Amino acid sequence: MILEVNGVKFGYNGKAVLKDVELDVKEGEMLVILGPNGVGKTTLLRCINAILKPKAGTIMVDGKNVLKMEPKAIARRVGYVAQYQARTRMTAFDAILMGRKPHLRFRTSEKDLRMVDGAIKVLGLGELAMRHIDEMSGGELQKVAVGRALVQEPRLLLLDEPTSSLDLKNSMNILSLIKRVVREHRVSAVMTMHNLNTALRFADKFVFLKGGTIHSAGEIRDVSADMIKDVYDIPVEILHHKGRPLVVPLN
Ligand code: ADP
């Protein structure tokens, strides 16, 4: 098991958001956290990365509690792509190279540069490599952030709405790429996503968050119309396409 989350509680200013969350993710698996706006998906990702400190519970990555680790040790294991990226005056190349920081010794190595080059190619950022990221579109910036997380070589990738600024083709490309990385490198990914159909197409497993806990969880084929009605308060019909559920809202 790469990620094991148990009994996690977190609140802002005394207001409970996560009351008792548990989930786990195996090697080679992609989990999607689903649920309506404000339910605590981003908060949960930030707890898993120890950016936020839960009030109770444990978060084990590869059998070690991240809540007891130094930030650099966490960064060697966990890559995080936030929903919004800071626009600093830095080239895309340098921004991706920053992902190697947890592994850097005294200076940049051949391997570091090779990995950054590889990420730039595979993300189709070739022509933008020397462009400053404060002059990029939201979608381009989002790709840079994914590149930075990939070169970090994490065991666990956390992706908060990784396709929110991307068009259909770029969304499909990025999610296919992430899925390939997760499978081939035997790592894990946990993502949040608003678009249910995109989420169900790429993820292996889901959890629905409601009321601060896991409302339901399972394999993608286990998603039901009742769950969605209960969690999002909207009636839906579930069709099937190539073995995957397709959610059609009914009103
Ligand atoms: P989601 O990602 O599911 O949309 P969030 O994790 O962003 O939800 O937010 C969960 C709840 O916590 C919301 O009610 C939100 O208003 C609140 N919240 C988020 N960030 C903060 C913060 N920094 N301070 C206080 N409340 C916050």
Side-chain angles (χ1 to χ4, degrees):
M1 208 62 82
I2 290 194
L3 173 67
E4 291 163 274
V5 172
N6 274 302
V8 163
K9 297 189 196 336
F10 182 87
Y12 297 101
N13 315 317
K15 185 174 165 278
V17 173
L18 305 176
K19 293 177 186 157
D20 181 11
V21 172
E22 53 183 76
L23 53 86
D24 50 54
V25 192
K26 293 197 197 84
E27 272 185 7
E29 249 177 18
M30 260 171 110
L31 171 84
V32 65
I33 302 171
L34 301 167
N37 292 334
V39 78
K41 301 180 295 296
T42 296
T43 302
L44 177 55
L45 281 191
R46 300 182 114 217
C47 284
I48 294 174
N49 203 13
I51 298 172
L52 297 174
K53 302 283 177 208
K55 266 200 315 205
T58 55
I59 292 162
M60 312 293 282
V61 174
D62 266 341
K64 296 199 181 73
N65 194 346
V66 296
L67 303 175
K68 297 197 169 139
M69 277 182 210
E70 296 292 318
K72 193 166 172 177
I74 298 174
R76 275 195 228 110
R77 293 172 174 82
V78 185
Y80 176 56
V81 178
Q83 196 166 348
Y84 303 103
Q85 314 301 329
R87 290 175 183 272
T88 43
R89 190 80 185 153
M90 180 188 285
T91 63
F93 187 94
D94 286 343
I96 295 175
L97 182 60
M98 293 264 290
R100 295 297 302 157
K101 207 170 153 210
H103 302 282
L104 288 184
R105 291 178 174 269
F106 300 106
R107 58 195 162 94
T108 315
S109 69
E110 280 290 310
K111 181 185 175 190
D112 298 324
L113 298 176
R114 221 176 28 246
M115 291 202 68
V116 175
D117 268 338
I120 285 171
K121 272 203 196 78
V122 82
L123 288 162
L125 285 168
E127 302 204 336
L128 298 174
M130 290 303 143
R131 172 96 62 88
H132 288 108
I133 61 174
D134 58 358
E135 293 167 359
M136 287 188 159
S137 74
E140 291 160 352
L141 201 54
Q142 205 157 25
K143 286 197 205 174
V144 170
V146 170
R148 183 170 49 217
L150 291 178
V151 302
Q152 214 173 315
E153 292 185 294
R155 293 284 290 154
L156 173 66
L157 264 170
L158 303 177
L159 306 142
D160 198 356
E161 288 285 340
T163 55
S164 59
S165 306
L166 298 176
D167 62 31
L168 187 61
K169 183 176 168 190
N170 276 307
S171 297
M172 297 297 121
N173 286 348
I174 288 270
L175 290 171
S176 304
L177 169 67
I178 291 167
K179 188 152 188 156
R180 206 170 70 228
V181 170
V182 165
R183 293 271 195 276
E184 287 175 5
H185 295 261
R186 305 295 301 158
V187 297
S188 302
V190 178
M191 60 182 179
T192 68
M193 198 164 282
H194 280 296
N195 186 316
L196 281 175
N197 287 325
T198 307
L200 301 180
R201 175 176 168 146
F202 285 93
D204 302 300
K205 294 200 311 189
F206 71 93
V207 298
F208 280 119
L209 261 187
K210 189 185 176 186
T213 59
I214 304 292
H215 168 277
S216 41
E219 307 279 325
I220 294 302
R221 63 171 176 271
D222 302 331
V223 169
S224 74
D226 283 346
M227 286 174 193
I228 296 174
K229 169 86 180 71
D230 221 26
V231 172
Y232 291 90
D233 193 25
I234 178 174
V236 300
E237 185 179 347
I238 298 209
L239 309 179
H240 288 274
H241 178 67
K242 296 191 177 169
R244 296 246 165 194
L246 204 55
V247 179
V248 183
L250 291 179
N251 62 2

